[in-house]
């Protein structure tokens, strides 16, 4: 069972963090309630397990904590802060549309039961928490005021931000008081804004600086908001990033920021420029809307759209019995051909060619996938009537009828957009992803708009490297979308839904995470513990699979779990080198352990699941030697060269989310 993440509860205007990580007690966190000189007061209270002390069981505590965690996170969002949030609640499915509720039913009178008594005890629970927190607060203040009188010992520590930390021991309570830094001892009424691009080292350094200083900021990534590039040039006279603004005043780039920090002038400038409320002349915060997104302008209409609309209105679409099967929502090809000839006033040859163009642009599909379009007794249906279409999460009521964009353009934009999302809402090492804030962000909304452009894209125009990078990136983006929409999988049935049922329609065909990994990237090999291949004979998606399986792809795919490789997005120009770097990082972070005395090698379970891609176990060790440090490579060389037996074990896989 996965451990519950910390829960935030508000009691007496104080934020209390209830964690189930410690079996013997709870951790209580009070922010800045002991005066202007202190912040982040953490208390560890050992609470008795006796039933007479508290009638609230662990299940009720978890429910209360989860409810209030959402409230606190909502408050963070309402402040307009787009910077990194240290509090990352466990991600559950986010409902984008209201779910229908059944009508209220008359409730029969219940006999008094345990559940009823728990419900009746809720007021007393709130009173218990309130009284206990008041007692703790009073005890803290008392002990702090007596520090100089009784000379009690205290311990001073330094954390990563070089802030003083005082640890005070109180009977039954552990209190850690963190003194405010200089940057925290004055109020920032203004707003820090900086312009950035994806995959920019200087932008990463600026972002890291603000996070470490715990300064809220607004980031405007011009790869996500391309129209803001013009504003950047108008305000600064240049197109280089990063460019930092304190309110409406231009501070400069990374060089200026480092210079001010090293000279000690940064605090002074912050007080001068951020001490007042942000005026209207400052760069605007990106908001939910279509006003500044170039892709939301009127799309180029497909030249065949007029014929498509006519066919949708005039063709007899109905269910038919074809080859002893009930085929829903189909029409006869001869009927479509007659409508095209009459509308265009052309011959049959021109009509057949027009029908093939409609099929190649994925407006129509043969019901059994036998051809694009041919004259004769064949049956077709529109893409929006395909049985799989309503299960695809990039389909919204209707198919995108606009002229399909270039697949290279869409692949590049997908990589840039998702890289920007990770830079804004993931930890620097990419081990932790804030799915909740991604799902609420403007960047993610634009990603969803981009996925609609993939419905009828023609992937055959991508080069092999472009295709490899595209499907790697699509898998990682879909995994993030799935975690936001349906939540992380917690069991076998959840995993089946996560990997098999969450789908996009891409180029007229459905793709799930399993289809991308096993059908495309692994060239139609069986998934682990499966007896069937993803694609049957003649499946048209097979033409996008590489001729040879590259085992490195397994270290470029992130399914959102703790044991998977870190999430990343690839470029078509450097995908091979980037995959090698991903494998090297994964193996050097614990995916292989070697015990020379016992002649045992412990490997990631990914290699066991996909052993057919890696070869025999000793061949795997020779392959892994290319991606480990020199010490491990030497140990492997010794094990392989002396001719002795080697024992292989496989590590447990942690399915918990990478929150």
């Amino acid at each position: 069972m996965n451990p519950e993440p910390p829960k935030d509860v508000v009691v007496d205007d104080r934020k209390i963090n209830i964690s189930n990580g410690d079996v013997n007690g709870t951790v209580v966190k009070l922010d800045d309630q002991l005066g202007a000189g202190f912040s982040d007061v953490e208390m560890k209270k050992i609470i008795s397990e006796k039933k007479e002390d508290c009638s609230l069981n662990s299940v009720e505590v978890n429910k209360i904590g989860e409810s209030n965690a959402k409230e606190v996170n909502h408050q963070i969002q309402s402040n307009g802060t787009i910077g990194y949030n240290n509090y990352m609640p466990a991600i559950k499915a986010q409902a984008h549309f209201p779910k229908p509720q059944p009508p209220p039913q008359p409730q029969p009178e219940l006999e008094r039961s345990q559940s009823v008594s728990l419900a009746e005890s809720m007021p007393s629970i709130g009173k218990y928490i309130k009284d206990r927190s008041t007692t703790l607060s009073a005890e803290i203040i008392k002990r702090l005021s007596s520090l100089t009188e009784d000379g009690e010992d205290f311990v001073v520590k330094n954390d990563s931000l070089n802030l003083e930390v005082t640890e005070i021991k109180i009977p039954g309570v552990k209190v850690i008081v963190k003194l405010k830094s200089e940057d925290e001892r004055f109020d920032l009424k203004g707003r820090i804004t900086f312009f950035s691009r994806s995959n920019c080292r200087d932008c990463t350094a600026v972002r890291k600086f603000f996070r470490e200083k715990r300064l809220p900021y607004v980031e405007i990534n011009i790869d996500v908001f391309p129209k803001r590039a013009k504003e950047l040039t108008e305000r600064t006279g240049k197109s280089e990033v990063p460019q930092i603004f304190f309110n409406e005043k231009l501070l400069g780039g990374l060089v200026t920021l480092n210079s001010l920090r090293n000279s000690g002038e940064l605090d002074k400038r912050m007080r001068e420029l951020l001490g007042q409320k942000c005026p209207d002349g400052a760069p605007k915060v990106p908001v939910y809307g279509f006003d500044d997104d170039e892709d939301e302008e009127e799309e180029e209409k497909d030249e065949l759209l007029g014929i498509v609309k006519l066919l949708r209105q005039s063709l007899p679409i109905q269910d038919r019995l074809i080859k002893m099967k009930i085929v829903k929502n189909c029409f006869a090809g001869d009927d479509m051909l007659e409508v095209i000839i009459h509308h265009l006033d052309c011959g049959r040859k021109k009509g057949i060619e027009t029908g093939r163009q409609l099929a190649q642009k994925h407006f129509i599909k043969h019901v059994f996938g036998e051809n694009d379009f041919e004259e004769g007794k064949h049956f077709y249906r529109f893409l929006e009537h395909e049985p799989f279409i309503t299960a695809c999460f990039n389909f919204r009521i209707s198919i995108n009828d606009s002229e399909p964009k270039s697949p290279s353009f869409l692949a590049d934009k997908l990589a840039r957009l998702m890289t920007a999302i990770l830079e804004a809402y993931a930890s620097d090492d990419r081990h932790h992803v804030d799915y909740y804030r991604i799902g609420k962000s403007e960047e993610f909304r634009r990603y969803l708009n981009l996925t609609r452009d993939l419905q009828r894209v023609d992937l055959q125009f991508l080069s092999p490297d472009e295709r490899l990078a595209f499907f790697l990136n699509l898998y990682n983006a879909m995994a993030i979308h799935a975690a936001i929409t349906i939540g992380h999988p917690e069991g076998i049935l959840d995993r089946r839904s996560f990997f098999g049922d969450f789908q996009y329609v891409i180029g007229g065909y459905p793709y799930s995470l399993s289809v991308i990994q096993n059908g495309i990237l692994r060239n139609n090999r069986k998934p682990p513990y499966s007896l069937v291949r993803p694609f049957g004979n003649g499946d048209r998606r097979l033409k996008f699979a590489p001729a040879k399986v590259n085992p490195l792809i397994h270290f470029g795919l992130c399914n959102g779990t703790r044991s998977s490789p870190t999430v990343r997005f690839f470029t078509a120009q450097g995908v091979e080198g980037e995959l090698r770097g991903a494998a090297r990082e994964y193996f050097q972070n614990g995916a292989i352990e070697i015990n020379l005395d016992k002649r045992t090698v412990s490997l990631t379970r990914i290699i066991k699941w996909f052993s057919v891609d890696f070869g025999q176990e000793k061949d795997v060790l020779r392959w892994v030697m290319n991606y480990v440090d020199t010490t491990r490579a030497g140990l492997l060389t010794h094990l392989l060269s002396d001719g002795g037996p080697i024992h292989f074990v496989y590590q447990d896989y942690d399915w918990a989310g990478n929150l």
Side-chain angles (χ1 to χ4, degrees), residues 22-26 45-58 128 132:
D22 190 345
V23 178
N24 296 324
T26 60
K45 176 65 180 174
I46 308 302
I47 301 178
S48 172
E49 296 181 353
K50 295 182 179 180
K51 293 184 179 179
E52 59 269 17
D53 288 344
C54 179
S55 60
L56 181 64
N57 60 27
S58 60
Y128 169 81
R132 185 60 65 96

Side-chain angles (χ1 to χ4, degrees), residues 492-506:
I492 295 177
L493 295 179
D494 290 338
R495 292 171 203 161
R496 181 176 299 177
S497 175
F498 188 89
F499 292 103
D501 297 339
F502 187 90
Q503 301 179 88
Y504 281 3
V505 52
I506 310 293

Side-chain angles (χ1 to χ4, degrees), residues 282-351:
K284 301 297 183 182
V285 178
V287 295
Y288 185 91
F290 298 91
D291 54 340
D292 63 344
D293 191 346
E294 66 178 6
D295 294 327
E296 300 303 338
E297 297 175 358
E298 184 177 357
E299 299 280 358
E300 181 182 355
K301 292 184 179 180
D302 195 298
E303 59 182 3
L304 298 175
L305 184 57
I307 299 177
V308 172
K309 289 183 177 179
L310 176 65
L311 293 173
R312 286 170 175 166
Q313 295 172 358
S314 58
L315 287 177
I317 299 174
Q318 59 189 19
D319 299 345
R320 289 177 168 87
L321 179 63
I322 307 172
K323 296 182 179 180
M324 303 303 294
K325 295 181 180 179
I326 298 294
V327 180
K328 294 182 175 296
N329 299 319
C330 64
F331 56 85
D334 289 341
D335 292 341
M336 186 181 85
L337 182 59
E338 293 299 326
V339 174
I340 293 175
I341 293 174
H342 182 268
H343 176 71
L344 297 180
D345 192 18
C346 63
R348 299 188 73 81
K349 185 176 180 180
K350 174 65 174 178

Side-chain angles (χ1 to χ4, degrees), residues 201-212:
R201 292 185 178 181
D202 287 354
C203 297
T204 300
V206 170
R207 191 182 300 110
K208 183 177 181 181
F209 173 80
F210 289 143
R211 288 178 177 177
E212 289 180 347

Side-chain angles (χ1 to χ4, degrees), residues 317-540:
I317 299 174
Q318 59 189 19
D319 299 345
R320 289 177 168 87
L321 179 63
I322 307 172
K323 296 182 179 180
M324 303 303 294
K325 295 181 180 179
I326 298 294
V327 180
K328 294 182 175 296
N329 299 319
C330 64
F331 56 85
D334 289 341
D335 292 341
M336 186 181 85
L337 182 59
E338 293 299 326
V339 174
I340 293 175
I341 293 174
H342 182 268
H343 176 71
L344 297 180
D345 192 18
C346 63
R348 299 188 73 81
K349 185 176 180 180
K350 174 65 174 178
I352 294 173
E353 180 61 28
T354 302
R356 288 174 179 169
Q357 292 178 10
L358 292 173
Q360 290 167 0
K361 286 195 171 184
H362 306 295
F363 280 115
I364 64 170
K365 296 285 182 184
H366 190 283
V367 293
F368 299 127
E370 295 176 356
N371 57 60
D372 287 338
F373 182 78
E374 293 181 1
E375 185 177 11
K377 194 173 182 180
H378 298 282
F379 293 90
Y380 303 86
R381 58 183 159 215
F382 291 105
L383 179 58
E384 58 265 34
H385 292 154
E386 287 284 355
F388 62 79
I389 195 70
T390 55
C392 294
F393 283 76
N394 65 331
F395 173 78
R396 304 180 188 173
I397 303 176
S398 63
I399 289 295
N400 185 354
D401 287 335
S402 302
E403 180 71 20
K405 294 184 173 64
S406 161
S408 297
F409 169 80
L410 293 177
D412 180 68
K413 187 169 183 180
L414 170 67
R416 290 177 179 270
L417 185 57
M418 293 307 298
T419 297
I421 287 176
L422 287 186
E423 290 174 345
Y425 304 109
S427 60
D428 293 335
D429 59 8
R430 306 292 173 87
H431 288 164
H432 305 286
V433 180
D434 193 342
Y435 294 95
Y436 184 85
R437 294 179 62 226
I438 290 176
K440 299 296 183 182
S441 69
E442 174 67 3
E443 294 93 329
F444 186 69
R445 183 193 68 82
R446 296 181 183 227
Y447 163 75
L448 295 179
N449 290 337
L450 175 66
T451 63
R452 295 192 69 232
D453 290 329
L454 298 174
Q455 293 174 357
R456 296 191 300 111
V457 67
D458 195 343
L459 299 180
Q460 66 179 344
F461 294 112
L462 292 175
S463 68
D465 283 347
E466 286 178 326
R467 199 175 298 159
L468 175 61
F470 172 77
F471 279 110
L472 289 169
N473 294 339
L474 181 64
Y475 181 100
N476 292 337
M478 285 179 62
I480 292 175
H481 189 183
I484 292 171
T485 305
I486 64 177
H488 281 105
E490 297 180 356
I492 295 177
L493 295 179
D494 290 338
R495 292 171 203 161
R496 181 176 299 177
S497 175
F498 188 89
F499 292 103
D501 297 339
F502 187 90
Q503 301 179 88
Y504 281 3
V505 52
I506 310 293
Y509 295 95
Y511 289 85
S512 65
L513 293 174
S514 180
V515 164
I516 293 174
Q517 181 176 20
N518 302 293
I520 301 296
L521 296 175
R522 299 185 62 229
N523 199 356
N524 203 28
R525 290 182 174 175
K526 298 175 183 178
Y529 310 114
S530 177
L531 300 177
V532 297
R533 301 177 185 272
F535 299 147
N537 294 332
D539 195 303
R540 298 197 174 193

Side-chain angles (χ1 to χ4, degrees), residues 142-189:
K142 178 181 177 181
R143 298 294 290 179
L144 290 176
S145 62
S146 64
L147 277 178
T148 56
E149 298 177 2
D150 56 20
E152 173 146 26
D153 295 335
F154 61 92
V155 180
V156 178
K157 300 179 181 178
N158 288 326
D159 63 358
S160 60
L161 300 178
N162 292 321
L163 303 178
E164 292 182 307
V165 178
T166 303
E167 182 176 322
I168 310 159
K169 296 181 180 179
I170 302 175
V173 180
K174 179 181 179 181
V175 182
I176 298 176
V177 181
K178 183 179 294 183
L179 301 180
K180 280 188 175 180
S181 67
E182 289 294 329
D183 296 327
E184 295 176 305
R185 292 177 186 175
F186 63 93
D187 294 329
L188 298 180
K189 298 180 181 178

